[in-house]
Amino acid sequence: MPGILSTPRRRITVGAVAATTAFAALTGLSHVASASASSSSASPHAAGTDAAPAAGTAAKEKRTGPAKVSGEGRIFYAYSPDDDIRFSVDATAAPFSRPVDQLPKGMPSDARGTVAFSHWVAKTKETRRAEAAVDCLVTAGDTATLTAVITKSADPREIGTRYGFSVKNGGPGKGRFGFHWGVSNVDIVDGKTTAPRVGTCMAPAPFAPVTQGGLKVTHGELPPLPEGWQPGR
């Protein structure tokens, strides 16, 4: 198997507008749900009115700070068992900090930071290195997914490509790390296999165990949407 940093540039299918529409639909559902909850709470006979405020209060109490991932470690990759593969991550959530044309106020999962990784290939005795700028981060307890866009690489064709990563908190025996090109990231277009573009915060489960070092995941709840947030405005 080739080095993990030697992924060739392939044809991709871009669906930014469709993705934005899908996200808008999801947030639209949450707005409807919120409106329904408000309407129900106004009625003294509505079911579940006692539980809803308590749940909201609990969510606010848990929101103690931004989501973060930090640390560095060597991993064991089953398909390159003799290679030395290392990742370091310094990522912090920065909600609504990356405005784009369809989302002028940004996304709740926006983030910033750096991911650096190296791969020493035992067969060729060569080392490949790359760095990437974090653009998205989402956590769930001791697990996180994040994406980052390549800014430095031995292969200039990789510059500007988004990569997906996942982290499970911990060191040897507990921590794990995942990277999208290490397992399956394929699609079928017109009957042909192609590698699709990685969307923000899209990554596989953290499949590779950490063997040295360790990474820390600090969980942070998703933030509320800002006033007037809506795609296209």
Side-chain angles (χ1 to χ4, degrees), residues 10 35 42 59 87 110 165 168 219:
R10 291 161 288 208
F87 290 88
D110 287 343
F165 307 94
K168 185 179 187 300
H219 175 65

Side-chain angles (χ1 to χ4, degrees), residues 10-113:
R10 291 161 288 208
R11 183 163 65 92
I12 60 175
T13 301
V14 180
V17 175
T20 301
T21 303
F23 187 81
L26 289 173
T27 55
L29 285 175
S30 67
H31 291 159
V32 171
S34 297
S36 297
S38 297
S39 176
S40 297
S41 63
S43 171
H45 303 292
T49 54
D50 292 337
T57 301
K60 290 180 180 179
E61 290 175 350
K62 292 180 180 178
R63 192 174 294 126
T64 57
K68 295 182 180 180
V69 178
S70 61
E72 58 184 57
R74 180 179 178 178
I75 64 167
F76 174 78
Y77 180 43
Y79 301 132
S80 298
D82 298 323
D83 294 1
D84 186 331
I85 303 172
R86 299 170 186 263
F87 290 88
S88 67
V89 182
D90 182 8
T92 303
F96 311 108
S97 62
R98 295 178 174 274
V100 293
D101 57 350
Q102 295 285 330
L103 294 163
K105 293 190 177 183
M107 296 277 283
S109 54
D110 287 343
R112 55 174 60 101

Side-chain angles (χ1 to χ4, degrees), residues 19-210:
T20 301
T21 303
F23 187 81
L26 289 173
T27 55
L29 285 175
S30 67
H31 291 159
V32 171
S34 297
S36 297
S38 297
S39 176
S40 297
S41 63
S43 171
H45 303 292
T49 54
D50 292 337
T57 301
K60 290 180 180 179
E61 290 175 350
K62 292 180 180 178
R63 192 174 294 126
T64 57
K68 295 182 180 180
V69 178
S70 61
E72 58 184 57
R74 180 179 178 178
I75 64 167
F76 174 78
Y77 180 43
Y79 301 132
S80 298
D82 298 323
D83 294 1
D84 186 331
I85 303 172
R86 299 170 186 263
F87 290 88
S88 67
V89 182
D90 182 8
T92 303
F96 311 108
S97 62
R98 295 178 174 274
V100 293
D101 57 350
Q102 295 285 330
L103 294 163
K105 293 190 177 183
M107 296 277 283
S109 54
D110 287 343
R112 55 174 60 101
T114 304
V115 177
F117 42 108
S118 66
H119 181 186
W120 178 80
V121 182
K123 185 176 181 180
T124 63
K125 310 302 181 184
E126 295 178 334
T127 300
R128 302 285 305 280
R129 294 183 174 86
E131 291 184 11
V134 175
D135 64 358
C136 188
L137 170 65
V138 175
T139 60
D142 65 350
T143 303
T145 62
L146 61 148
T147 45
V149 177
I150 299 296
T151 56
K152 297 180 182 178
S153 175
D155 184 352
R157 296 174 298 174
E158 298 294 334
I159 304 298
T161 303
R162 180 182 291 111
Y163 281 9
F165 307 94
S166 56
V167 181
K168 185 179 187 300
N169 187 85
K174 182 178 179 181
R176 285 181 170 269
F177 198 92
F179 44 98
H180 86 269
W181 65 100
V183 285
S184 178
N185 180 43
V186 299
D187 198 0
I188 306 299
V189 179
D190 298 328
K192 297 181 179 180
T193 302
T194 184
R197 181 182 176 90
V198 174
T200 55
C201 277
M202 295 293 101
F207 54 85
V210 173

